[in-house]
Amino acid sequence: MSGEEEENASELKIGEEFLKAKCLMNCEVALILEHKYEQLQQTSEDPMNQVSQVFEKSLQYVKRFSRYKHADAVRQVREILSRYQLAEFEVRVCILDSALCVLGNLCPETVEEAIAMVPSIKTKGRAHDDDAIERMLNDLSLIKKFE
Amino acid sequence: MFFHIVLERNMQLHPRHFGRNLRENLVSKLMKDVEGTCSGRHGFVVAITGIENIGKGLIRDGTGFVTFPVKYQCVVFRPFKGEILEAAVTMVNKAYDMEFQSGDIPNYTTSDGSVKIQKDCEVRLKIIGTRVDATEIV
């Protein structure tokens, strides 16, 4: 498969079927998995036995590495990130989705850190300057503070 | 990275599962079959979140089994080369770059001692390559 070689997430090159899919931040995955786990608890007595090892480990992972815990905060984070991104480049929404999730997962504190993680927020956007990125990071840290 | 993706699968169902619970039987069999599996293409299927549609069943010649094409939404975890993510250390073993300290708690320590990586540490890393081990999630 030729696609295998060209895959590179740092340049946001990912397989075609994943471009159509929606990227999820760790905190969103945590909400989904916890909801599913609660449903299982209602229907069976020993839910831990019902779920796969992959489910169990994923749930542990996303719980440990989620920056935001509350559903409201999670929704706000996605809103803020998509607002800043879409204003700059509307065309490649699907690709940006993954950049958005990286930022939401890692919560960079400085502009340099953010650019190092997701170079595309700097290079591909015509007008995405340091100020705009800084404002975005500020907004995100505010959510965290008030959570 | 985690994705919410729509996948399709042909499900074979034994005639004893037909009847008014056909849909539930189909969905629970789907969950049993695909949740927790891993493929190089789509990564790990973590959880099925919904059924998009179940197509018309086709009776297989000679067996009585019926094949249903099922489209379902699921959460998958698929790592990509170049991706940056955070992880917890589960094992430390000898490699080249940093000082490796063996002993009770194997760890890496930088020469000035300012950074130490051992089991249960949280690290931020960049994926330089992926390999599929379909049997285990690490």
Side-chain angles (χ1 to χ4, degrees):
Chain A
M1 200 172 87
S2 64
E4 200 72 38
E5 290 302 310
E6 288 158 19
E7 237 166 45
N8 193 336
S10 62
E11 295 159 29
L12 300 171
K13 279 188 195 153
I14 56 179
E16 197 183 326
E17 52 225 316
F18 286 99
L19 290 181
K20 282 182 236 150
K22 188 177 163 68
C23 293
L24 297 172
M25 291 184 283
N26 290 345
C27 43
E28 293 170 316
V29 177
L31 292 177
I32 295 174
L33 296 189
E34 269 168 4
H35 178 72
K36 188 158 172 134
Y37 187 68
E38 275 165 25
Q39 279 182 331
L40 273 176
Q41 267 177 327
Q42 282 164 7
T43 53
S44 80
E45 282 164 19
D46 189 9
M48 243 352 177
N49 253 338
Q50 297 271 316
V51 298
S52 64
Q53 206 192 7
V54 173
F55 184 98
E56 202 184 315
K57 288 196 174 177
S58 302
L59 185 57
Q60 278 171 15
Y61 173 81
V62 291
K63 270 188 178 167
R64 184 163 179 178
F65 291 101
S66 279
R67 303 295 179 133
Y68 310 93
K69 303 279 182 243
H70 293 290
D72 282 345
V74 174
R75 212 190 50 238
Q76 278 179 29
V77 169
R78 188 169 270 279
E79 256 174 45
I80 287 179
L81 283 165
S82 39
R83 192 169 68 223
Y84 276 93
Q85 307 255 309
L86 297 186
E88 307 303 329
F89 15 59
E90 286 156 3
V91 211
R92 312 183 70 179
V93 184
C94 46
I95 294 181
L96 284 163
D97 209 29
S98 63
L100 182 159
C101 288
V102 172
L103 292 175
N105 280 345
L106 303 179
C107 280
E109 278 161 20
T110 63
V111 176
E112 293 92 74
E113 205 184 346
I115 295 172
M117 283 168 194
V118 191
S120 61
I121 58 172
K122 182 90 181 158
T123 53
K124 284 190 183 141
R126 294 169 300 277
H128 224 153
D129 51 31
D130 290 3
D131 285 348
I133 299 173
E134 176 125 41
R135 278 201 301 278
M136 175 172 79
L137 299 181
N138 275 340
D139 286 359
L140 288 178
S141 64
L142 275 181
I143 300 181
K144 191 148 184 56
K145 213 178 281 172
F146 288 111
E147 193 182 30
Chain B
M1 203 167 335
F2 288 94
F3 293 86
H4 199 213
I5 195 173
V6 177
L7 296 178
E8 199 172 349
R9 185 183 173 88
N10 286 324
M11 296 291 304
Q12 280 198 39
L13 203 64
H14 191 275
R16 71 166 173 270
H17 298 300
F18 298 169
R20 74 171 78 165
N21 291 330
L22 190 142
R23 193 187 155 90
E24 280 136 65
N25 288 330
L26 205 55
V27 172
S28 66
K29 186 171 192 300
L30 179 73
M31 289 186 174
K32 236 181 237 150
D33 283 3
V34 300
E35 282 187 354
T37 60
C38 172
S39 73
R41 194 155 158 209
H42 295 116
F44 292 97
V45 179
V46 181
I48 292 174
T49 55
I51 305 294
E52 287 241 308
N53 111 65
I54 297 177
K56 287 214 166 78
L58 203 71
I59 302 175
R60 314 256 315 167
D61 276 350
T63 62
F65 274 87
V66 172
T67 309
F68 294 91
V70 183
K71 268 193 179 169
Y72 57 98
Q73 305 157 338
C74 57
V75 175
V76 299
F77 179 77
R78 169 75 152 86
F80 285 97
K81 193 180 159 194
E83 188 187 329
I84 300 169
L85 47 85
E86 289 174 312
V89 177
T90 56
M91 194 170 73
V92 180
N93 41 29
K94 206 164 163 47
Y96 326 93
D97 292 11
M98 277 166 120
E99 287 287 294
F100 178 70
Q101 321 273 333
S102 53
D104 282 354
I105 310 166
N107 64 78
Y108 286 113
T109 311
T110 47
S111 49
D112 60 353
S114 60
V115 181
K116 192 171 175 181
I117 301 176
Q118 63 187 54
K119 194 170 184 267
D120 282 330
C121 278
E122 291 178 5
V123 292
R124 183 173 287 177
L125 52 87
K126 184 165 182 169
I127 297 175
I128 53 171
T130 56
R131 178 176 59 88
V132 182
D133 181 353
T135 55
E136 198 189 6
I137 178 167
V138 205

